Amino acid sequence: MVSDDSRLIRVSRAIDAPAKRVFAFLANAENHQALDTSGMVRGSADHARLDRVGAVFVMNMYNPIMGDHQVENHVVVYEPDRALGWAPSEPGAEPAGHTYVYRLTPLAHGRTEVSQTYDWSAFTHLDMIGYLPVVNRDELLASLDLLAAALDTPR
């Protein structure tokens, strides 16, 4: 399934892993580079676990505009084994108004429907709005494929 509103992209697919396992993988910032299809994520800077709304984790990033830099990600959705999302910001600043949210729906036989939404409808940095979305629909779909591949191991 793919949804693409003017400032929101949502993709989903079934993954052969239970929701608890998918959630645990996503809640570990160390794993985020393995899901990156944009080429921007370099790795976790603080090795944090996403464990509650309000938690902040820092990622090392790169893009041609800013070069090497860090991004703080503020956890805005935390529902164990059901949903996890964050809002990026420059270090020490409030989130810029775009979010990444994963929603997990358990399916039969230990499978999970995983939906990923990138929403920039509340983005506040108008001088940067022309650079959004930072990821497109194809990249989000490919990221879910990488998630499925990462979880495709013996249970």
Side-chain angles (χ1 to χ4, degrees):
M1 176 195 152
V2 175
S3 173
D4 191 351
D5 298 329
S6 64
R7 288 185 160 188
L8 178 142
I9 302 169
R10 180 176 297 123
V11 296
S12 64
R13 69 160 285 180
I15 292 181
D16 291 327
K20 181 178 188 84
R21 192 160 161 241
V22 175
F23 188 87
F25 188 89
L26 294 171
N28 183 347
E30 297 288 335
N31 295 327
H32 292 193
Q33 184 179 12
L35 305 178
D36 177 41
T37 57
S38 70
M40 293 185 290
V41 179
R42 297 298 191 231
S44 175
D46 61 2
H47 314 288
R49 287 199 57 82
L50 292 61
D51 60 0
R52 70 192 181 291
V53 168
V56 176
F57 64 102
V58 181
M59 299 299 288
N60 292 319
M61 307 288 288
Y62 173 83
N63 69 42
I65 298 167
M66 298 179 68
D68 290 319
H69 63 286
Q70 291 187 326
V71 171
E72 287 182 354
N73 294 283
H74 301 253
V75 177
V76 295
V77 177
Y78 187 87
E79 299 169 26
D81 305 335
R82 291 291 192 196
L84 184 63
W86 53 87
S89 74
E90 294 180 22
E94 290 297 313
H98 55 147
T99 59
Y100 296 86
V101 177
Y102 290 87
R103 298 212 176 269
L104 313 177
T105 304
L107 301 172
H109 309 293
R111 299 182 69 196
T112 304
E113 181 77 18
V114 179
S115 296
Q116 182 183 18
T117 302
Y118 173 54
D119 181 349
W120 66 101
S121 61
F123 196 74
T124 56
H125 293 58
L126 298 180
D127 57 326
M128 299 297 289
I129 197 82
Y131 296 102
L132 299 178
V134 295
V135 291
N136 62 38
R137 175 185 16 230
D138 291 340
E139 290 169 323
L140 287 178
L141 281 168
S143 181
L144 290 182
D145 291 342
L146 291 172
L147 176 62
L151 294 170
D152 186 25
T153 57
R155 292 171 216 194

